[in-house]
Amino acid sequence: MHEHNSASVERIRAPLRAGISPASDQCALICLPYAGGGSIAYRHWRHLDLGLKIKNELVALDYPGHLMRPEEPLSYSMSDLADVLMGEVTRRWERPFILCGASLGGLVAFELAKRAETAGHPPLALITAACAAPYARTISYSVSNLSDDAFIQLVTERYDGAIGGILQDRKTREILLPILRADMLIVEKYTSSQDRTMLSSDIIAIAGEDDRAVSLNEAARWREHTTGQTHLVSVPGNHFFVETHAEEVAARLRTIFRHVGGVATHRPVVQRPTQ
């Protein structure tokens, strides 16, 4: 449980209003996709108004070995994956930047945020979508080591039926299954490490109302990974709401970035869509 610090309520907006340097006319929004996915997951985000005081540059990344980077080897650990992606952060951290990740991407964004803060360049904020906090994750058996059929069944049940339908196509299955297995292995290894690092950046944790894989309570436990403010947001949609409900996500982010305040660090305020 963190002590409430009223000054930290302005943590997200103050650097944007003041400006970090004369060249800081943009804020980089660096987005990481879910397991098996790619930068296309954020295709609807490019022209969204997130309520930032300055223009945001969308930087949607792809993982090595995935569909947009097929010539590179897959990563099988968070350390290796972060090593590959960190350059995208370092080349932008002299101006404001926000790290955003969906599912696996939330954990990747957290790891990149940790490295950036250690180097003295913390992100303006960390946004996690459809992602349980490391403290909230428990794995009783290895998903990545299941047989192909059992793996597909579990993924279909946990992350909604569309994935199972895609994996029924033989050619798609041959391409996508090794990628999904590698990504799930990263999640399992990272979860078992029980990382206890605390960030100073504010964390915005977003949960889907119909997400069968990540509960609101699991998302809320991101408060245990920051000394800053925690904003817990609920939006319509299943595990893939960053694609299917991008407008709703943007609306919730606008509320936070334009009207930061009233958030208790020990009990995050849940913001639900108006009917």
Side-chain angles (χ1 to χ4, degrees):
M1 184 179 296
H2 310 308
E3 294 295 325
H4 179 68
N5 180 356
S6 60
S8 68
V9 169
E10 293 294 307
R11 187 186 304 276
I12 290 179
R13 289 195 299 168
L16 292 175
R17 285 201 303 266
I20 292 179
S21 74
S24 297
D25 59 348
Q26 282 191 332
C27 175
L29 178 62
I30 305 172
C31 296
L32 292 306
Y34 45 76
S39 56
I40 195 173
Y42 295 96
R43 63 191 180 280
H44 301 305
W45 285 50
R46 192 161 302 278
H47 303 294
L48 293 177
D49 175 15
L50 302 181
L52 296 169
K53 299 295 181 180
I54 55 180
K55 182 179 179 181
N56 59 281
E57 172 205 6
L58 180 67
V59 183
L61 303 182
D62 288 287
Y63 302 137
H66 285 227
L67 300 182
M68 299 303 292
R69 300 173 69 168
E71 71 286 352
E72 301 175 59
L74 289 165
S75 295
Y76 294 93
S77 72
M78 183 63 77
S79 177
D80 288 346
L81 183 56
D83 285 346
V84 173
L85 299 174
M86 193 62 199
E88 297 290 348
V89 177
T90 59
R91 73 184 62 174
R92 293 177 173 87
W93 68 17
E94 293 301 331
R95 55 189 173 92
F97 71 97
I98 294 170
L99 286 163
C100 173
S103 196
L104 164 65
L107 299 179
V108 179
F110 176 56
E111 180 64 24
L112 296 176
K114 285 163 38 184
R115 295 186 179 202
E117 181 155 330
T118 299
H121 296 274
L124 208 55
L126 168 66
I127 302 172
T128 64
C131 182
Y135 277 162
R137 291 176 176 270
T138 56
I139 294 180
S140 56
Y141 59 92
S142 176
V143 173
S144 59
N145 286 335
L146 293 174
S147 68
D148 287 352
D149 289 341
F151 180 85
I152 291 172
Q153 181 179 353
L154 184 143
V155 169
T156 301
E157 292 173 353
R158 182 179 295 178
Y159 301 107
D160 301 297
I163 294 180
I166 293 172
L167 290 174
Q168 293 307 311
D169 178 78
R170 183 179 59 83
K171 290 185 178 180
T172 302
R173 179 170 169 160
E174 290 176 356
I175 295 171
L176 190 55
L177 201 54
I179 294 173
L180 277 172
R181 283 192 177 279
D183 289 352
M184 292 300 294
L185 182 61
I186 292 174
V187 173
E188 289 174 5
K189 287 181 177 179
Y190 198 71
T191 299
S192 63
S193 70
Q194 287 293 299
D195 191 294
R196 297 180 180 274
T197 302
M198 299 288 285
L199 299 176
S200 63
S201 304
D202 288 7
I203 295 179
I204 303 169
I206 312 174
E209 293 178 350
D210 300 315
D211 189 348
R212 293 182 292 192
V214 179
S215 70
L216 193 65
N217 288 337
E218 290 173 322
R221 293 193 65 183
W222 277 104
R223 66 181 180 271
E224 299 171 37
H225 288 282
T226 181
T227 57
Q229 295 291 302
T230 304
H231 306 260
L232 181 61
V233 178
S234 175
V235 299
N238 59 24
H239 196 67
F240 304 100
F241 61 78
V242 294
E243 287 192 78
T244 60
H245 291 77
E247 291 285 355
E248 288 87 344
V249 174
R252 309 315 287 168
L253 291 176
R254 280 196 299 273
T255 299
I256 293 171
F257 286 123
R258 289 176 177 169
H259 309 289
V260 177
V263 179
T265 55
H266 62 288
R267 290 193 65 183
V269 175
V270 179
Q271 299 179 347
R272 299 187 182 277
T274 58
Q275 299 297 320

